[in-house]
């Protein structure tokens, strides 16, 4: 069972549409996708990803501290490399910051490049100017999520609101201007209360590993600080290989720390994500969740749960076929590395040979990582 390269899961949760779109006039609209003749409300991938990270930071504050950001010309990004006291230094990496490891980054680090002599001042000796340039580092997210898409079509629900409570309080207040009565400020909102589905995939081949490649000038500027940097990485349960000849720095997280981060991600998804918007706090609490260890990081179960327009009901029937027939799922000694919870709320399928107990399932995953 040591050939596991990925973990995937699909979650169904009950919620109102918290992640809204732009307003049209005084109507606050919902994010919607069209499938055939139907419209389905969705919650965006960045919104769901942010809820996952925010929950990790709340539940595990020591392990999931938000990364330090920087802004240049209106572009906000993670601060990985930067010039400090005229020296190019490394500020963050995947070993010391779990957010960068799981959710990726793109960072343009400022540096300087020297150019030529100042020929007008030859009598004062050789002069050198500095010309600004940059180094771009990027990492694809090892933990990827889909949009959270409603399972039942949107039927055009709309609600009408106004600030009646504030108006009544103001009109009854002694601070009201004599003879003046406030009037309500009405607005409308598209509404949807639904079951939503999203899937996540963890690429274990990239989780806990990273590689930076630099040009010769940048590597030379970094080389003076690398010894101290290597010691810091080792203290953070990782190792780093700095190859000055190849102009590269490679990072690798320890197996124990990698397992810890992956299990923390799975636990917060299973137990529920913090999700609140405009005073509505439904959270993202799984009504149903299925997770599997795989030979390839593919969201196997995402297409298996859908709205069957012919019956007008949700369909789960193809889950059984996927579990029984898909060769990516890890299997050994009659055990299928799949866990499903909340099955009592769903009908039409059976997870033959799967692991019922969540702790036992996590232990099996740990053996494979």
């Amino acid at each position: 069972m040591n050939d596991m390269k990925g973990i995937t899961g699909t979650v169904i949760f009950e919620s109102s549409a918290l992640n809204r779109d732009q307003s049209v006039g005084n109507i606050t609209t919902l994010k919607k996708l069209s499938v055939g003749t139907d419209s389905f409300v969705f919650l965006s991938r960045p919104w769901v990803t942010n809820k996952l990270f925010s929950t990790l930071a709340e539940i595990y504050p020591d392990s999931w501290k938000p990364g330090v950001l920087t802004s240049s010309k209106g572009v906000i990004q993670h601060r990985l490399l930067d010039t400090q006291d005229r020296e190019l230094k490394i500020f963050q990496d995947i070993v010391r910051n779990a957010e960068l490891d799981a959710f990726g980054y793109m960072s343009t680090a400022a540096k300087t490049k020297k150019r030529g002599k100042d020929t007008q001042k030859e009598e004062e000796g050789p002069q050198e100017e500095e010309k600004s340039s940059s180094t771009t580092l990027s990492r694809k997210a090892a933990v990827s999520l889909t949009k959270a898409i409603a399972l039942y079509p949107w039927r055009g629900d709309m609600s009408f609101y106004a600030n009646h409570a504030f108006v009544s309080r103001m009109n009854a207040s002694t601070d009201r201007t004599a003879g003046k009565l406030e009037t309500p400020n009405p607005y409308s909102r598209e509404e949807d209360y639904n079951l939503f589905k999203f899937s996540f995939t963890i690429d274990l081949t990239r989780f806990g590993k990273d590689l930076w490649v630099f040009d010769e000038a940048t590597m030379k500027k970094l080389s003076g600080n690398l010894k101290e940097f290597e010691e810091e990485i080792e203290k953070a349960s990782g190792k780093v290989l700095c190859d000055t000849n190849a102009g590269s720095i490679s990072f690798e997280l320890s197996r124990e720390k990698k397992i810890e981060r992956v299990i923390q991600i799975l636990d917060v998804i299973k137990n529920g994500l913090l999700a609140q918007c405009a005073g509505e706090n439904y959270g993202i609490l799984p009504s149903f969740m299925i997770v599997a260890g795989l030979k390839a990081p593919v969201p196997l179960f995402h297409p298996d749960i859908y709205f069957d327009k012919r019956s007008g009901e949700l369909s789960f029937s193809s889950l059984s076929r996927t579990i029984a027939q898909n060769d990516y799922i890890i299997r050994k000694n009659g055990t299928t590395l799949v866990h499903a919870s909340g099955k009592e709320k769903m009908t039409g399928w059976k997870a033959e040979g799967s692991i019922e107990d969540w702790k036992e399932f996590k232990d099996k995953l740990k053996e494979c990582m």
Side-chain angles (χ1 to χ4, degrees), residues 4 7 56 60 64 202 204 207 255-271 289 358-367 369:
M4 187 172 72
I7 298 171
L56 285 164
Y60 306 107
W64 291 85
I202 303 175
L204 297 175
F207 201 105
R255 180 175 180 270
E256 293 74 20
K257 198 68 176 178
K258 175 180 177 179
I259 290 173
E260 177 186 290
R261 288 179 180 177
V262 170
I263 295 302
Q264 286 173 346
I265 292 170
L266 294 176
D267 276 338
V268 298
I269 292 175
K270 186 180 189 323
N271 291 319
M289 175 176 171
W358 177 243
K359 184 179 183 303
E360 180 185 352
F361 175 71
K362 291 191 294 182
D363 289 341
K364 293 291 185 183
L365 288 178
K366 293 175 184 178
E367 293 174 7
M369 281 190 277

Side-chain angles (χ1 to χ4, degrees), residues 250-318:
S250 60
F251 301 87
E252 185 171 356
L253 198 64
S254 69
R255 180 175 180 270
E256 293 74 20
K257 198 68 176 178
K258 175 180 177 179
I259 290 173
E260 177 186 290
R261 288 179 180 177
V262 170
I263 295 302
Q264 286 173 346
I265 292 170
L266 294 176
D267 276 338
V268 298
I269 292 175
K270 186 180 189 323
N271 291 319
L273 307 183
L274 302 169
Q276 179 175 333
C277 181
E280 294 185 80
N281 185 4
Y282 292 96
I284 298 178
L285 305 171
S287 298
F288 172 81
M289 175 176 171
I290 183 167
V291 187
L294 307 174
K295 299 175 184 178
V298 178
L300 291 185
F301 306 121
H302 193 73
D304 288 331
I305 305 170
Y306 58 92
F307 173 70
D308 187 343
K309 194 171 182 178
R310 290 175 299 179
S311 66
E313 297 178 353
L314 299 183
S315 174
F316 295 82
S317 58
S318 59

Side-chain angles (χ1 to χ4, degrees), residues 178-333:
K180 181 182 178 182
L181 290 176
E182 300 292 338
T183 58
N185 181 23
Y187 64 97
S188 297
R189 287 172 28 138
E190 293 181 343
E191 297 287 2
D192 185 65
Y193 193 85
N194 217 315
L195 290 174
F196 290 84
K197 171 187 71 172
F198 77 91
S199 295
F200 64 89
T201 307
I202 303 175
D203 188 341
L204 297 175
T205 63
R206 288 188 295 107
F207 201 105
K209 294 181 180 180
D210 200 8
L211 176 66
W212 293 352
V213 179
F214 303 106
D215 57 34
E216 183 179 351
T218 303
M219 198 67 195
K220 184 177 180 180
K221 289 188 176 185
L222 287 171
S223 59
N225 304 315
L226 291 180
K227 184 176 181 181
E228 181 181 348
F229 172 63
E230 289 172 353
E231 293 174 354
E232 292 178 5
I233 294 295
E234 186 175 352
K235 290 180 182 178
S237 301
K239 60 182 180 181
V240 60
L241 176 61
C242 303
D243 190 335
T244 54
N245 293 325
S248 65
I249 300 178
S250 60
F251 301 87
E252 185 171 356
L253 198 64
S254 69
R255 180 175 180 270
E256 293 74 20
K257 198 68 176 178
K258 175 180 177 179
I259 290 173
E260 177 186 290
R261 288 179 180 177
V262 170
I263 295 302
Q264 286 173 346
I265 292 170
L266 294 176
D267 276 338
V268 298
I269 292 175
K270 186 180 189 323
N271 291 319
L273 307 183
L274 302 169
Q276 179 175 333
C277 181
E280 294 185 80
N281 185 4
Y282 292 96
I284 298 178
L285 305 171
S287 298
F288 172 81
M289 175 176 171
I290 183 167
V291 187
L294 307 174
K295 299 175 184 178
V298 178
L300 291 185
F301 306 121
H302 193 73
D304 288 331
I305 305 170
Y306 58 92
F307 173 70
D308 187 343
K309 194 171 182 178
R310 290 175 299 179
S311 66
E313 297 178 353
L314 299 183
S315 174
F316 295 82
S317 58
S318 59
L319 276 172
S320 298
R321 183 171 61 253
T322 298
I323 294 171
Q325 299 179 5
N326 195 287
D327 293 334
Y328 287 163
I329 298 176
I330 304 291
R331 310 171 198 276
K332 187 175 182 182
N333 299 328

Side-chain angles (χ1 to χ4, degrees), residues 162-173 176 182-185:
N163 56 336
H164 290 296
F166 273 19
V167 169
S168 298
R169 286 169 54 185
M170 188 63 202
N171 287 338
S173 171
R176 177 174 65 87
E182 300 292 338
T183 58
N185 181 23

